[in-house]
Amino acid sequence: MIEQKQMLENAVNTALNIANDLGVTQAEVALGKSAGISVNTRLGEVENIEFNHDGAMGISVYVDHRKGSASTADLSEEAIAASVKAAVDIAKYTSQDPYAGLLDKRYLEDNPIDLDLYHASNKSTDDLLALAKQCEDIALGLDKRIVNSDGAGVNSHTSLQVYGNSNGFLESYGSSRHSLSCVLIAQENDEMQRDYSYTSARDMNELLSPQWVAEQAVKRTVERLGARKIPTQESPVIFSPEMASGLFGHLVSAISGGSLYKKSSFLLDSIDTQIFPDWMSISEDPHIIKGIASSPFDSEGGRTVKRNIIDNGFLQTYLLTGYAARKMGLESTGHAGGIHNWFVKDGGLDLAGLLKEMGTGLFVTELMGQGVNMVTGDYSRGAAGFWIENGVIAYPVHEVTIAGNLKEMFMDISAIGCDTDPRSSLKTGSILIKKMKIAGA
């Protein structure tokens, strides 16, 4: 990787030098190269093998607060020069934006940390196919109600990201991502259900076993059999960790600069405002070794730092790129490109304890549709899961809609479990919300 890293850094430096020669004082170049393989098997047969090798250089220049951008997959000096010139030409015709430009030097990361994110796999195509087949074979033999499979798959990818700008920043880092998944179909009488499980990690050797993935896929699939509709009502709702991370994803959107300066967020002007119960906290740590969302710097070279997002229920920060920060008259927070390893503090209860605390209500394990209005916070989505009575699962539920308002839902969180999903970049356990509207039969 070292040789490729030097080659890509040289290409970025070439683009910056050409921009400088053309009289451009503000330019930035992002270059990414990725490679990998995806294999899928179904019922013991190879379904597909797909190799990918992608990469492109993106060049942006700022001339008198006018932005021009161009890209090229050809890294020869001639192609780079043509792309830089194209970006400069485009800038002549774009509108002036007083906030356009590079991230201010004081926010740039001057000493990136090695976070051990790059772990290329040495497994052959045959090895990966054997892993997928093993997982599917185990799953198909665990329960007679598993009557079919949508297949098992293994993905193994690596990438190298380089970013440089005319403020003197030029850095790069490699990363990898590997996964194993299995999708199953169960049948009982005339009813059929489908579900899946997966494991993912930076290092192929740290994936959970094919046995674990198979067992989880079987469990999730057969538990859906016998699903019923429930009457329309109001009741407590528990979101499983996978669904809870999506719920907090709406918080990410609501406090991101783009939503805020466009005034399309239900959390406008909410810094130092209580938006969650006073016992709740969310922290961010970009520098977790091998972390799923770890990053030594953001996508515009910005410093990434450990910080509190929510402290005792109060919102501590927005998530701002350099552009958003200038537009809002605030400080950049190093979030160009997204969040970095969020941790939602739990209350110590496992899922069984959380179900017992709820008593009777809906445990949501699947959500469908996109019925979220980020301006008002109104929330309405299709859901499936389990009906809980006396603190235990009574039966599976499907074809219901849950509804509320995100502001009220956030404040109505009464407990967070310790059953955190380690595969997510936003780590949270199941969450219990005191009351939501449920539209059913």
Side-chain angles (χ1 to χ4, degrees):
M1 185 183 73
I2 295 175
E3 185 177 332
Q4 185 186 38
K5 177 180 175 181
Q6 189 61 57
M7 181 188 73
L8 298 184
E9 288 182 354
N10 288 342
V12 169
N13 197 48
T14 296
L16 293 172
N17 288 335
I18 291 171
N20 185 63
D21 292 342
L22 292 174
V24 176
T25 58
Q26 285 206 333
E28 59 182 345
V29 182
L31 175 55
K33 285 282 187 180
S34 64
I37 179 174
S38 299
V39 303
N40 289 87
T41 64
R42 182 172 179 271
L43 301 178
E45 300 294 329
V46 176
E47 273 232 311
N48 71 280
I49 301 171
E50 180 179 332
F51 294 92
N52 78 283
H53 200 287
D54 303 315
M57 172 187 283
I59 301 159
S60 293
V61 300
Y62 301 90
V63 181
D64 192 24
H65 294 289
R66 301 174 190 270
K67 181 179 179 179
S69 298
S71 64
T72 177
D74 182 349
L75 299 184
S76 67
E77 188 168 346
E78 295 78 9
I80 292 173
S83 296
V84 174
K85 186 177 184 305
V88 173
D89 289 341
I90 290 168
K92 297 175 184 177
Y93 299 99
T94 59
S95 300
Q96 277 191 320
D97 184 340
Y99 306 106
L102 301 178
L103 184 67
D104 191 280
K105 287 184 180 181
R106 71 182 186 275
Y107 298 116
L108 292 172
E109 176 56 73
D110 55 8
N111 187 26
I113 303 171
D114 181 1
L115 299 173
D116 196 22
L117 305 180
Y118 183 85
H119 294 271
S121 170
N122 59 5
K123 292 188 180 295
S124 68
T125 302
D126 286 341
D127 291 336
L128 300 182
L129 287 168
L131 189 63
K133 286 181 180 179
Q134 179 187 5
C135 183
E136 188 183 32
D137 286 346
I138 292 171
L140 290 171
L142 285 175
D143 193 302
K144 64 182 181 181
R145 291 170 292 180
I146 300 297
V147 297
N148 207 336
S149 165
D150 266 353
V154 180
N155 292 280
S156 179
H157 292 86
T158 60
S159 66
L160 182 59
Q161 305 294 325
V162 184
Y163 175 81
N165 63 37
S166 52
N167 277 340
F169 186 93
L170 179 53
E171 296 289 348
S172 62
Y173 67 94
S175 63
S176 56
R177 190 74 175 263
H178 312 281
S179 66
L180 167 65
S181 62
C182 185
V183 185
L184 302 173
I185 298 169
Q187 182 173 6
E188 193 167 55
N189 300 321
D190 294 330
E191 179 192 5
M192 300 183 79
Q193 295 285 355
R194 179 180 181 272
D195 216 318
Y196 72 100
S197 185
Y198 75 98
T199 176
S200 65
R202 293 285 190 187
D203 188 336
M204 177 73 77
N205 296 318
E206 295 178 2
L207 292 177
L208 297 175
S209 69
Q211 181 80 29
W212 183 91
V213 174
E215 289 175 353
Q216 289 298 307
V218 170
K219 180 177 183 293
R220 289 166 58 103
T221 307
V222 299
E223 282 181 345
R224 296 170 67 103
L225 291 168
R228 311 181 198 173
K229 296 180 182 180
I230 55 175
T232 296
Q233 60 190 287
E234 286 190 346
S235 87
V237 172
I238 291 177
F239 288 77
S240 71
E242 290 170 294
M243 301 304 105
S245 65
L247 191 65
F248 288 121
H250 300 312
L251 170 65
V252 174
S253 297
I255 63 174
S256 293
S259 298
L260 294 165
Y261 69 69
K262 294 174 184 174
K263 300 193 182 302
S264 58
S265 167
F266 65 94
L267 290 178
L268 290 175
D269 303 318
S270 292
I271 289 290
D272 296 326
T273 299
Q274 184 174 1
I275 61 173
F276 287 99
D278 57 14
W279 50 265
M280 189 170 160
S281 296
I282 301 175
S283 61
E284 178 179 58
D285 188 348
H287 301 152
I288 301 293
I289 299 300
K290 291 186 178 180
I292 293 297
S294 292
S295 180
F297 51 86
D298 75 1
S299 61
E300 55 184 2
R303 191 176 298 111
T304 55
V305 299
K306 187 173 182 177
R307 68 176 76 233
N308 289 330
I309 307 298
I310 303 294
D311 189 16
N312 295 322
F314 285 76
L315 179 64
Q316 302 296 301
T317 183
Y318 290 140
L319 311 177
L320 305 179
T321 63
Y323 179 84
R326 287 190 294 271
K327 202 170 180 71
M328 297 174 66
L330 299 172
E331 303 284 315
S332 170
T333 62
H335 285 96
I339 64 169
H340 316 287
N341 300 319
W342 277 23
F343 296 87
V344 180
K345 185 178 179 181
D346 67 72
L349 289 175
D350 59 12
L351 178 58
L354 209 61
L355 295 177
K356 185 176 180 180
E357 181 162 324
M358 177 171 71
T360 298
L362 180 64
F363 176 35
V364 174
T365 59
E366 182 181 9
L367 290 166
M368 295 148 277
Q370 302 296 323
V372 182
N373 186 323
M374 292 304 298
V375 177
T376 64
D378 289 337
Y379 182 96
S380 177
R381 299 188 66 185
F386 300 91
W387 187 249
I388 309 302
E389 292 181 357
N390 299 317
V392 296
I393 292 175
Y395 50 83
V397 170
H398 65 173
E399 296 182 18
V400 299
T401 299
I402 57 173
N405 182 277
L406 286 168
K407 271 191 173 183
E408 296 171 0
M409 290 163 64
F410 288 167
M411 286 300 297
D412 279 349
I413 293 174
S414 60
I416 297 178
C418 61
D419 55 334
T420 303
D421 182 357
R423 303 166 297 183
S424 174
S425 61
L426 200 161
K427 291 179 170 52
T428 175
S430 297
I431 66 170
L432 169 58
I433 295 178
K434 295 175 184 175
K435 185 172 63 175
M436 289 187 69
K437 296 174 183 176
I438 301 173

